[in-house]
Amino acid sequence: MILVTGAAGFIGSHLCDRLVGSGHTVVGLDNFNPFYNPQIKRNNISTLLTHPLFQLWEADIRDSSALDQCFAANDFDLVIHLAAMAGVRPSIEDPEEYYDVNVTGTVKLLQQCVRSRVRRFLFASSSSVYGNNDKIVFSETDHVDHPISPYAATKKAGELICHHYHHLNRMSVICLRFFTVYGPRQRPDLAVHSFVHRIMNGLPIPFFGDGSTSRDYSYIDDIIEGVTAAADYLDNHHCYEIINLGNSDTITLTQMLKTIEAVTGCPAIIDRQPLQAGDALKTCADIHKARALLAYQPKTAFEAGVRTFFDWYLRPLF
Ligand SMILES: NC(=O)c1ccc[n+]([C@@H]2O[C@H](COP(=O)([O-])OP(=O)(O)OC[C@H]3O[C@@H](n4cnc5c(N)ncnc54)[C@H](O)[C@@H]3O)[C@@H](O)[C@H]2O)c1
């Protein structure tokens, strides 16, 4: 039985869909926080709620007694920990909340795993731990002790915390560093979703810098393949591993906007703004380790992924 925290979110809901679809019994834990409209999260899992292998626990990972009840009622053999305050820019506004959820919350969950003898743990880390790494492509062996935002620091802290649970409590842990994930159900604050929404509503698009900043955009289905492969890897290996999951390709801000204009058939209104503090200039994943350990092979080209996102965006709501 698998516990997925953050199950109602963008990545969590896709992961739970995949896990129950392949016959796993899944408990999804989420507190439906208001970081973005909780109704979107309820919609994400509306079909899952009717699946016999899925059960929802509405709870906060910082609530030890709620965790205790959830673990007492279920016999987990794997925890996939996705629940977090996500996003770089808002973390600069409210670092305390980010540390509370992403660091304290992660410790509470790991402590519960120790108490309940759950020995396998997957942690959602982030490409943001690389900061403004001056070496492109980003590899798991690069030094990541220079975070440039509170969010990045909380994710690096999570990786470190997981390591001592591996060392002291014999837990097998994989920390997956996700690189800018997009696709249907993507968080509304993220580029692609927010750009499509603004273009379709005739709103100006904040365009930070000269358009040369770039991201390694990773399509949700490819990421889910990587997460499930990592879960399978934990079945057979006692390990602590950090693994990049990205597309290993970079798209500049200008290219992204042109792709979105082509897919939507609408021109963008551009609102030029200076670069934002805390944003990395470029991200690109070295995925050799994911290929070697997980047979990870991202398949989705950016334009095809944006088209799938746009089809989802245009879906009838009722
Ligand atoms: N989306 C990306 O591009 C990306 C990139 C790198 C890392 N990540 C990481 O992947 C994970 C999932 O990201 P996402 O984009 O799906 O975000 P999301 O915000 O859509 O999902 C996170 C979920 O966690 C829940 N949550 C937050 N705080 C909680 C708490 N205290 N207790 C219980 N539930 C709580 C939220 O309600 C939400 O449903 C996060 O850990 C994020 O940091 C995401």
Side-chain angles (χ1 to χ4, degrees):
M1 185 184 282
I2 302 173
L3 175 67
V4 177
T5 71
F10 163 42
I11 299 174
S13 61
H14 282 281
L15 177 63
C16 292
D17 284 342
R18 179 71 61 90
L19 290 172
V20 297
S22 51
H24 292 283
T25 304
V26 176
V27 172
L29 186 145
D30 206 296
N31 71 342
F32 296 88
N33 77 3
F35 177 64
Y36 59 90
N37 186 348
Q39 190 54 47
I40 297 175
K41 303 175 188 184
R42 298 206 181 271
N43 294 346
N44 288 344
I45 58 162
S46 60
T47 308
L48 262 175
L49 289 176
T50 63
H51 199 290
L53 293 178
F54 183 80
Q55 190 194 343
L56 174 68
W57 275 73
E58 201 160 332
D60 193 304
I61 54 165
R62 293 165 292 179
D63 181 346
S64 297
S65 68
L67 289 183
D68 214 25
Q69 282 175 33
C70 179
F71 279 68
N74 299 285
D75 191 12
F76 299 124
D77 42 37
L78 167 67
V79 169
I80 304 181
H81 179 34
L82 305 175
M85 291 297 295
V88 168
R89 289 174 202 156
S91 77
I92 299 170
E93 303 300 315
D94 191 2
E96 283 161 319
E97 178 76 357
Y98 275 70
Y99 280 102
D100 197 33
V101 174
N102 297 2
V103 178
T104 305
T106 297
V107 172
K108 293 204 173 192
L109 187 62
L110 282 159
Q111 278 298 106
Q112 186 63 53
C113 287
V114 172
R115 281 195 293 278
S116 303
R117 296 189 172 76
V118 179
R119 298 232 183 273
R120 281 178 285 168
F121 196 85
L122 270 181
F123 174 66
S125 186
S126 165
S127 61
S128 62
V129 300
Y130 290 105
N132 273 329
N133 205 15
D134 47 17
K135 173 185 148 286
I136 303 287
V137 184
F138 299 168
S139 152
E140 295 88 347
T141 52
D142 295 348
H143 288 290
V144 289
D145 45 11
H146 44 261
I148 59 171
S149 69
Y151 172 68
T154 67
K155 288 294 174 180
K156 173 65 186 167
E159 293 180 354
L160 293 171
I161 291 161
C162 284
H163 189 271
H164 75 70
Y165 281 90
H166 165 70
H167 181 75
L168 295 174
N169 304 99
R170 297 180 39 76
M171 287 177 67
S172 289
V173 180
I174 297 180
C175 302
L176 295 169
R177 290 180 178 163
F178 299 142
F179 282 65
T180 320
V181 191
Y182 74 104
R185 302 182 196 155
Q186 190 196 27
R187 295 199 328 256
D189 58 302
L190 289 176
V192 178
H193 192 154
S194 69
F195 280 27
V196 166
H197 181 73
R198 287 183 161 270
I199 283 189
M200 296 307 289
N201 288 279
L203 298 168
I205 291 184
F207 191 88
F208 299 110
D210 63 2
S212 63
T213 56
S214 57
R215 290 286 174 275
D216 188 350
Y217 287 97
S218 318
Y219 188 65
I220 184 69
D221 291 359
D222 292 327
I223 289 293
I224 296 301
E225 287 292 332
V227 177
T228 53
D232 292 344
Y233 189 86
L234 280 180
D235 278 345
N236 306 311
H237 298 85
H238 177 62
C239 62
Y240 174 86
E241 299 288 355
I242 293 176
I243 304 177
N244 286 341
L245 288 185
N247 203 43
S248 207
D249 187 17
T250 52
I251 308 282
T252 66
L253 183 57
T254 301
Q255 285 171 318
M256 180 188 65
L257 197 56
K258 283 192 186 314
T259 305
I260 291 176
E261 285 180 323
V263 168
T264 59
C266 298
I269 306 164
I270 290 176
D271 172 17
R272 287 191 186 278
Q273 296 194 19
L275 282 175
Q276 295 285 289
D279 279 1
L281 298 175
K282 183 168 184 170
T283 65
C284 186
D286 178 337
I287 55 171
H288 284 93
K289 187 171 177 182
R291 282 208 179 100
L293 266 52
L294 310 177
Y296 174 70
Q297 185 57 60
K299 299 181 185 72
T300 313
F302 186 62
E303 183 165 342
V306 171
R307 282 190 192 284
T308 311
F309 171 82
F310 189 52
D311 289 345
W312 170 82
Y313 180 84
L314 294 178
R315 74 204 181 286
L317 283 175
F318 300 104

